[in-house]
Amino acid sequence: MHLKFKHLLDISAKLRGEGGCPWDREQTLETMRPLILDEARELSEAIEKGDIKNIEEEIGDVLFCLIMTAQIAQEKGHFDMGTILEKNAEKLLRRHTWVFGTDKAETAEEALALWKKNKKLEKSKKTK
């Protein structure tokens, strides 16, 4: 993992750990939900305004909310950031068959159609 990303993971663990921040330590998966939605809304507004500096800041806020959520899940024994990153990378490789496979997509529309097809195929395999 990139050192700067690992630094954020370490900050999250410290905030949630013994002697950390009382507010951060009280957070749960459920309490993180409105925080994530609020930060995503603020990011959306910054994008709508074209405010590049604010976009950068809000991406950081959304990212840290997600890191904190992953930290809470790790503490509960559900999963950790490593598995999140690994599974997401695998999914992106599976679904982008025109980049990492043999399918062809020359336009954004063709790429989106293949993405939807691959996602649907993937979901149908999961339900079997």
mmCIF file with all atom_site columns, all heavy atoms in Angstrom, residues 63-80:
data_model
loop_
_atom_site.group_PDB
_atom_site.id
_atom_site.type_symbol
_atom_site.label_atom_id
_atom_site.label_alt_id
_atom_site.label_comp_id
_atom_site.label_asym_id
_atom_site.label_entity_id
_atom_site.label_seq_id
_atom_site.pdbx_PDB_ins_code
_atom_site.Cartn_x
_atom_site.Cartn_y
_atom_site.Cartn_z
_atom_site.occupancy
_atom_site.B_iso_or_equiv
_atom_site.pdbx_formal_charge
_atom_site.auth_seq_id
_atom_site.auth_comp_id
_atom_site.auth_asym_id
_atom_site.auth_atom_id
_atom_site.pdbx_PDB_model_num
ATOM 1   N N   . LEU A 1 63 ? -13.071 9.856   1.478  1.00 0.00 ? 63 LEU A N   1
ATOM 2   C CA  . LEU A 1 63 ? -12.106 8.760   1.636  1.00 0.00 ? 63 LEU A CA  1
ATOM 3   C C   . LEU A 1 63 ? -11.894 8.422   3.105  1.00 0.00 ? 63 LEU A C   1
ATOM 4   O O   . LEU A 1 63 ? -11.898 7.246   3.489  1.00 0.00 ? 63 LEU A O   1
ATOM 5   C CB  . LEU A 1 63 ? -10.774 9.126   0.974  1.00 0.00 ? 63 LEU A CB  1
ATOM 6   C CG  . LEU A 1 63 ? -9.661  8.099   1.092  1.00 0.00 ? 63 LEU A CG  1
ATOM 7   C CD1 . LEU A 1 63 ? -10.063 6.774   0.460  1.00 0.00 ? 63 LEU A CD1 1
ATOM 8   C CD2 . LEU A 1 63 ? -8.388  8.644   0.458  1.00 0.00 ? 63 LEU A CD2 1
ATOM 9   N N   . PHE A 1 64 ? -11.736 9.440   3.945  1.00 0.00 ? 64 PHE A N   1
ATOM 10  C CA  . PHE A 1 64 ? -11.487 9.140   5.349  1.00 0.00 ? 64 PHE A CA  1
ATOM 11  C C   . PHE A 1 64 ? -12.708 8.530   6.025  1.00 0.00 ? 64 PHE A C   1
ATOM 12  O O   . PHE A 1 64 ? -12.573 7.651   6.873  1.00 0.00 ? 64 PHE A O   1
ATOM 13  C CB  . PHE A 1 64 ? -10.980 10.361  6.131  1.00 0.00 ? 64 PHE A CB  1
ATOM 14  C CG  . PHE A 1 64 ? -10.375 9.941   7.440  1.00 0.00 ? 64 PHE A CG  1
ATOM 15  C CD1 . PHE A 1 64 ? -9.179  9.241   7.463  1.00 0.00 ? 64 PHE A CD1 1
ATOM 16  C CD2 . PHE A 1 64 ? -11.010 10.202  8.640  1.00 0.00 ? 64 PHE A CD2 1
ATOM 17  C CE1 . PHE A 1 64 ? -8.624  8.817   8.658  1.00 0.00 ? 64 PHE A CE1 1
ATOM 18  C CE2 . PHE A 1 64 ? -10.467 9.777   9.836  1.00 0.00 ? 64 PHE A CE2 1
ATOM 19  C CZ  . PHE A 1 64 ? -9.268  9.081   9.851  1.00 0.00 ? 64 PHE A CZ  1
ATOM 20  N N   . CYS A 1 65 ? -13.904 8.952   5.638  1.00 0.00 ? 65 CYS A N   1
ATOM 21  C CA  . CYS A 1 65 ? -15.114 8.300   6.172  1.00 0.00 ? 65 CYS A CA  1
ATOM 22  C C   . CYS A 1 65 ? -15.126 6.820   5.802  1.00 0.00 ? 65 CYS A C   1
ATOM 23  O O   . CYS A 1 65 ? -15.494 5.967   6.624  1.00 0.00 ? 65 CYS A O   1
ATOM 24  C CB  . CYS A 1 65 ? -16.375 8.976   5.636  1.00 0.00 ? 65 CYS A CB  1
ATOM 25  S SG  . CYS A 1 65 ? -16.838 10.473  6.513  1.00 0.00 ? 65 CYS A SG  1
ATOM 26  N N   . LEU A 1 66 ? -14.727 6.516   4.581  1.00 0.00 ? 66 LEU A N   1
ATOM 27  C CA  . LEU A 1 66 ? -14.688 5.120   4.148  1.00 0.00 ? 66 LEU A CA  1
ATOM 28  C C   . LEU A 1 66 ? -13.603 4.345   4.897  1.00 0.00 ? 66 LEU A C   1
ATOM 29  O O   . LEU A 1 66 ? -13.813 3.188   5.293  1.00 0.00 ? 66 LEU A O   1
ATOM 30  C CB  . LEU A 1 66 ? -14.475 5.038   2.639  1.00 0.00 ? 66 LEU A CB  1
ATOM 31  C CG  . LEU A 1 66 ? -15.576 5.675   1.791  1.00 0.00 ? 66 LEU A CG  1
ATOM 32  C CD1 . LEU A 1 66 ? -15.220 5.605   0.310  1.00 0.00 ? 66 LEU A CD1 1
ATOM 33  C CD2 . LEU A 1 66 ? -16.927 5.043   2.065  1.00 0.00 ? 66 LEU A CD2 1
ATOM 34  N N   . ILE A 1 67 ? -12.466 4.978   5.130  1.00 0.00 ? 67 ILE A N   1
ATOM 35  C CA  . ILE A 1 67 ? -11.395 4.344   5.901  1.00 0.00 ? 67 ILE A CA  1
ATOM 36  C C   . ILE A 1 67 ? -11.863 4.065   7.330  1.00 0.00 ? 67 ILE A C   1
ATOM 37  O O   . ILE A 1 67 ? -11.616 2.980   7.872  1.00 0.00 ? 67 ILE A O   1
ATOM 38  C CB  . ILE A 1 67 ? -10.117 5.210   5.874  1.00 0.00 ? 67 ILE A CB  1
ATOM 39  C CG1 . ILE A 1 67 ? -9.469  5.136   4.489  1.00 0.00 ? 67 ILE A CG1 1
ATOM 40  C CG2 . ILE A 1 67 ? -9.133  4.799   6.964  1.00 0.00 ? 67 ILE A CG2 1
ATOM 41  C CD1 . ILE A 1 67 ? -8.339  6.110   4.269  1.00 0.00 ? 67 ILE A CD1 1
ATOM 42  N N   . MET A 1 68 ? -12.541 5.030   7.927  1.00 0.00 ? 68 MET A N   1
ATOM 43  C CA  . MET A 1 68 ? -13.058 4.821   9.288  1.00 0.00 ? 68 MET A CA  1
ATOM 44  C C   . MET A 1 68 ? -14.078 3.691   9.314  1.00 0.00 ? 68 MET A C   1
ATOM 45  O O   . MET A 1 68 ? -14.090 2.871   10.242 1.00 0.00 ? 68 MET A O   1
ATOM 46  C CB  . MET A 1 68 ? -13.683 6.108   9.830  1.00 0.00 ? 68 MET A CB  1
ATOM 47  C CG  . MET A 1 68 ? -12.678 7.165   10.210 1.00 0.00 ? 68 MET A CG  1
ATOM 48  S SD  . MET A 1 68 ? -11.676 6.723   11.644 1.00 0.00 ? 68 MET A SD  1
ATOM 49  C CE  . MET A 1 68 ? -12.882 6.972   12.941 1.00 0.00 ? 68 MET A CE  1
ATOM 50  N N   . THR A 1 69 ? -14.921 3.609   8.307  1.00 0.00 ? 69 THR A N   1
ATOM 51  C CA  . THR A 1 69 ? -15.911 2.542   8.226  1.00 0.00 ? 69 THR A CA  1
ATOM 52  C C   . THR A 1 69 ? -15.215 1.186   8.105  1.00 0.00 ? 69 THR A C   1
ATOM 53  O O   . THR A 1 69 ? -15.597 0.219   8.770  1.00 0.00 ? 69 THR A O   1
ATOM 54  C CB  . THR A 1 69 ? -16.871 2.783   7.044  1.00 0.00 ? 69 THR A CB  1
ATOM 55  O OG1 . THR A 1 69 ? -17.455 4.081   7.196  1.00 0.00 ? 69 THR A OG1 1
ATOM 56  C CG2 . THR A 1 69 ? -17.954 1.740   6.983  1.00 0.00 ? 69 THR A CG2 1
ATOM 57  N N   . ALA A 1 70 ? -14.185 1.126   7.283  1.00 0.00 ? 70 ALA A N   1
ATOM 58  C CA  . ALA A 1 70 ? -13.410 -0.113  7.151  1.00 0.00 ? 70 ALA A CA  1
ATOM 59  C C   . ALA A 1 70 ? -12.713 -0.462  8.462  1.00 0.00 ? 70 ALA A C   1
ATOM 60  O O   . ALA A 1 70 ? -12.637 -1.643  8.836  1.00 0.00 ? 70 ALA A O   1
ATOM 61  C CB  . ALA A 1 70 ? -12.393 0.022   6.019  1.00 0.00 ? 70 ALA A CB  1
ATOM 62  N N   . GLN A 1 71 ? -12.223 0.531   9.172  1.00 0.00 ? 71 GLN A N   1
ATOM 63  C CA  . GLN A 1 71 ? -11.570 0.304   10.469 1.00 0.00 ? 71 GLN A CA  1
ATOM 64  C C   . GLN A 1 71 ? -12.560 -0.315  11.458 1.00 0.00 ? 71 GLN A C   1
ATOM 65  O O   . GLN A 1 71 ? -12.239 -1.269  12.163 1.00 0.00 ? 71 GLN A O   1
ATOM 66  C CB  . GLN A 1 71 ? -11.005 1.619   11.018 1.00 0.00 ? 71 GLN A CB  1
ATOM 67  C CG  . GLN A 1 71 ? -10.391 1.533   12.406 1.00 0.00 ? 71 GLN A CG  1
ATOM 68  C CD  . GLN A 1 71 ? -9.144  0.678   12.450 1.00 0.00 ? 71 GLN A CD  1
ATOM 69  O OE1 . GLN A 1 71 ? -8.364  0.642   11.500 1.00 0.00 ? 71 GLN A OE1 1
ATOM 70  N NE2 . GLN A 1 71 ? -8.931  -0.024  13.558 1.00 0.00 ? 71 GLN A NE2 1
ATOM 71  N N   . ILE A 1 72 ? -13.765 0.225   11.495 1.00 0.00 ? 72 ILE A N   1
ATOM 72  C CA  . ILE A 1 72 ? -14.798 -0.307  12.391 1.00 0.00 ? 72 ILE A CA  1
ATOM 73  C C   . ILE A 1 72 ? -15.112 -1.756  12.017 1.00 0.00 ? 72 ILE A C   1
ATOM 74  O O   . ILE A 1 72 ? -15.205 -2.625  12.892 1.00 0.00 ? 72 ILE A O   1
ATOM 75  C CB  . ILE A 1 72 ? -16.058 0.576   12.333 1.00 0.00 ? 72 ILE A CB  1
ATOM 76  C CG1 . ILE A 1 72 ? -15.758 1.963   12.926 1.00 0.00 ? 72 ILE A CG1 1
ATOM 77  C CG2 . ILE A 1 72 ? -17.227 -0.078  13.054 1.00 0.00 ? 72 ILE A CG2 1
ATOM 78  C CD1 . ILE A 1 72 ? -16.795 3.032   12.608 1.00 0.00 ? 72 ILE A CD1 1
ATOM 79  N N   . ALA A 1 73 ? -15.266 -2.021  10.727 1.00 0.00 ? 73 ALA A N   1
ATOM 80  C CA  . ALA A 1 73 ? -15.549 -3.387  10.267 1.00 0.00 ? 73 ALA A CA  1
ATOM 81  C C   . ALA A 1 73 ? -14.414 -4.335  10.632 1.00 0.00 ? 73 ALA A C   1
ATOM 82  O O   . ALA A 1 73 ? -14.654 -5.474  11.048 1.00 0.00 ? 73 ALA A O   1
ATOM 83  C CB  . ALA A 1 73 ? -15.786 -3.392  8.759  1.00 0.00 ? 73 ALA A CB  1
ATOM 84  N N   . GLN A 1 74 ? -13.183 -3.859  10.508 1.00 0.00 ? 74 GLN A N   1
ATOM 85  C CA  . GLN A 1 74 ? -12.026 -4.687  10.874 1.00 0.00 ? 74 GLN A CA  1
ATOM 86  C C   . GLN A 1 74 ? -12.057 -5.007  12.362 1.00 0.00 ? 74 GLN A C   1
ATOM 87  O O   . GLN A 1 74 ? -11.819 -6.149  12.762 1.00 0.00 ? 74 GLN A O   1
ATOM 88  C CB  . GLN A 1 74 ? -10.724 -3.970  10.513 1.00 0.00 ? 74 GLN A CB  1
ATOM 89  C CG  . GLN A 1 74 ? -9.478  -4.757  10.897 1.00 0.00 ? 74 GLN A CG  1
ATOM 90  C CD  . GLN A 1 74 ? -8.199  -4.033  10.512 1.00 0.00 ? 74 GLN A CD  1
ATOM 91  O OE1 . GLN A 1 74 ? -8.163  -3.310  9.523  1.00 0.00 ? 74 GLN A OE1 1
ATOM 92  N NE2 . GLN A 1 74 ? -7.166  -4.236  11.294 1.00 0.00 ? 74 GLN A NE2 1
ATOM 93  N N   . GLU A 1 75 ? -12.347 -4.013  13.179 1.00 0.00 ? 75 GLU A N   1
ATOM 94  C CA  . GLU A 1 75 ? -12.423 -4.230  14.629 1.00 0.00 ? 75 GLU A CA  1
ATOM 95  C C   . GLU A 1 75 ? -13.487 -5.265  14.990 1.00 0.00 ? 75 GLU A C   1
ATOM 96  O O   . GLU A 1 75 ? -13.330 -6.005  15.961 1.00 0.00 ? 75 GLU A O   1
ATOM 97  C CB  . GLU A 1 75 ? -12.731 -2.910  15.334 1.00 0.00 ? 75 GLU A CB  1
ATOM 98  C CG  . GLU A 1 75 ? -11.605 -1.908  15.272 1.00 0.00 ? 75 GLU A CG  1
ATOM 99  C CD  . GLU A 1 75 ? -12.021 -0.497  15.662 1.00 0.00 ? 75 GLU A CD  1
ATOM 100 O OE1 . GLU A 1 75 ? -13.172 -0.311  16.123 1.00 0.00 ? 75 GLU A OE1 1
ATOM 101 O OE2 . GLU A 1 75 ? -11.202 0.426   15.490 1.00 0.00 ? 75 GLU A OE2 1
ATOM 102 N N   . LYS A 1 76 ? -14.563 -5.325  14.192 1.00 0.00 ? 76 LYS A N   1
ATOM 103 C CA  . LYS A 1 76 ? -15.648 -6.281  14.429 1.00 0.00 ? 76 LYS A CA  1
ATOM 104 C C   . LYS A 1 76 ? -15.336 -7.658  13.840 1.00 0.00 ? 76 LYS A C   1
ATOM 105 O O   . LYS A 1 76 ? -16.116 -8.586  13.989 1.00 0.00 ? 76 LYS A O   1
ATOM 106 C CB  . LYS A 1 76 ? -16.964 -5.767  13.829 1.00 0.00 ? 76 LYS A CB  1
ATOM 107 C CG  . LYS A 1 76 ? -17.437 -4.457  14.406 1.00 0.00 ? 76 LYS A CG  1
ATOM 108 C CD  . LYS A 1 76 ? -17.982 -4.663  15.792 1.00 0.00 ? 76 LYS A CD  1
ATOM 109 C CE  . LYS A 1 76 ? -18.571 -3.369  16.322 1.00 0.00 ? 76 LYS A CE  1
ATOM 110 N NZ  . LYS A 1 76 ? -18.843 -3.435  17.731 1.00 0.00 ? 76 LYS A NZ  1
ATOM 111 N N   . GLY A 1 77 ? -14.201 -7.762  13.144 1.00 0.00 ? 77 GLY A N   1
ATOM 112 C CA  . GLY A 1 77 ? -13.801 -9.037  12.555 1.00 0.00 ? 77 GLY A CA  1
ATOM 113 C C   . GLY A 1 77 ? -14.488 -9.366  11.237 1.00 0.00 ? 77 GLY A C   1
ATOM 114 O O   . GLY A 1 77 ? -14.473 -10.508 10.790 1.00 0.00 ? 77 GLY A O   1
ATOM 115 N N   . HIS A 1 78 ? -15.079 -8.364  10.592 1.00 0.00 ? 78 HIS A N   1
ATOM 116 C CA  . HIS A 1 78 ? -15.802 -8.595  9.340  1.00 0.00 ? 78 HIS A CA  1
ATOM 117 C C   . HIS A 1 78 ? -14.861 -8.697  8.135  1.00 0.00 ? 78 HIS A C   1
ATOM 118 O O   . HIS A 1 78 ? -14.950 -9.624  7.352  1.00 0.00 ? 78 HIS A O   1
ATOM 119 C CB  . HIS A 1 78 ? -16.826 -7.497  9.083  1.00 0.00 ? 78 HIS A CB  1
ATOM 120 C CG  . HIS A 1 78 ? -17.865 -7.367  10.149 1.00 0.00 ? 78 HIS A CG  1
ATOM 121 N ND1 . HIS A 1 78 ? -18.578 -8.433  10.638 1.00 0.00 ? 78 HIS A ND1 1
ATOM 122 C CD2 . HIS A 1 78 ? -18.327 -6.280  10.812 1.00 0.00 ? 78 HIS A CD2 1
ATOM 123 C CE1 . HIS A 1 78 ? -19.429 -8.009  11.559 1.00 0.00 ? 78 HIS A CE1 1
ATOM 124 N NE2 . HIS A 1 78 ? -19.297 -6.700  11.684 1.00 0.00 ? 78 HIS A NE2 1
ATOM 125 N N   . PHE A 1 79 ? -13.992 -7.724  7.957  1.00 0.00 ? 79 PHE A N   1
ATOM 126 C CA  . PHE A 1 79 ? -13.052 -7.650  6.836  1.00 0.00 ? 79 PHE A CA  1
ATOM 127 C C   . PHE A 1 79 ? -12.090 -6.511  7.124  1.00 0.00 ? 79 PHE A C   1
ATOM 128 O O   . PHE A 1 79 ? -12.276 -5.778  8.093  1.00 0.00 ? 79 PHE A O   1
ATOM 129 C CB  . PHE A 1 79 ? -13.764 -7.425  5.493  1.00 0.00 ? 79 PHE A CB  1
ATOM 130 C CG  . PHE A 1 79 ? -14.770 -6.301  5.518  1.00 0.00 ? 79 PHE A CG  1
ATOM 131 C CD1 . PHE A 1 79 ? -14.370 -4.980  5.405  1.00 0.00 ? 79 PHE A CD1 1
ATOM 132 C CD2 . PHE A 1 79 ? -16.130 -6.565  5.667  1.00 0.00 ? 79 PHE A CD2 1
ATOM 133 C CE1 . PHE A 1 79 ? -15.287 -3.937  5.447  1.00 0.00 ? 79 PHE A CE1 1
ATOM 134 C CE2 . PHE A 1 79 ? -17.066 -5.533  5.694  1.00 0.00 ? 79 PHE A CE2 1
ATOM 135 C CZ  . PHE A 1 79 ? -16.640 -4.227  5.582  1.00 0.00 ? 79 PHE A CZ  1
ATOM 136 N N   . ASP A 1 80 ? -11.058 -6.387  6.302  1.00 0.00 ? 80 ASP A N   1
ATOM 137 C CA  . ASP A 1 80 ? -10.118 -5.281  6.485  1.00 0.00 ? 80 ASP A CA  1
ATOM 138 C C   . ASP A 1 80 ? -9.873  -4.577  5.153  1.00 0.00 ? 80 ASP A C   1
ATOM 139 O O   . ASP A 1 80 ? -10.384 -4.999  4.115  1.00 0.00 ? 80 ASP A O   1
ATOM 140 C CB  . ASP A 1 80 ? -8.807  -5.742  7.135  1.00 0.00 ? 80 ASP A CB  1
ATOM 141 C CG  . ASP A 1 80 ? -8.019  -6.711  6.274  1.00 0.00 ? 80 ASP A CG  1
ATOM 142 O OD1 . ASP A 1 80 ? -8.248  -6.789  5.042  1.00 0.00 ? 80 ASP A OD1 1
ATOM 143 O OD2 . ASP A 1 80 ? -7.160  -7.409  6.825  1.00 0.00 ? 80 ASP A OD2 1
#
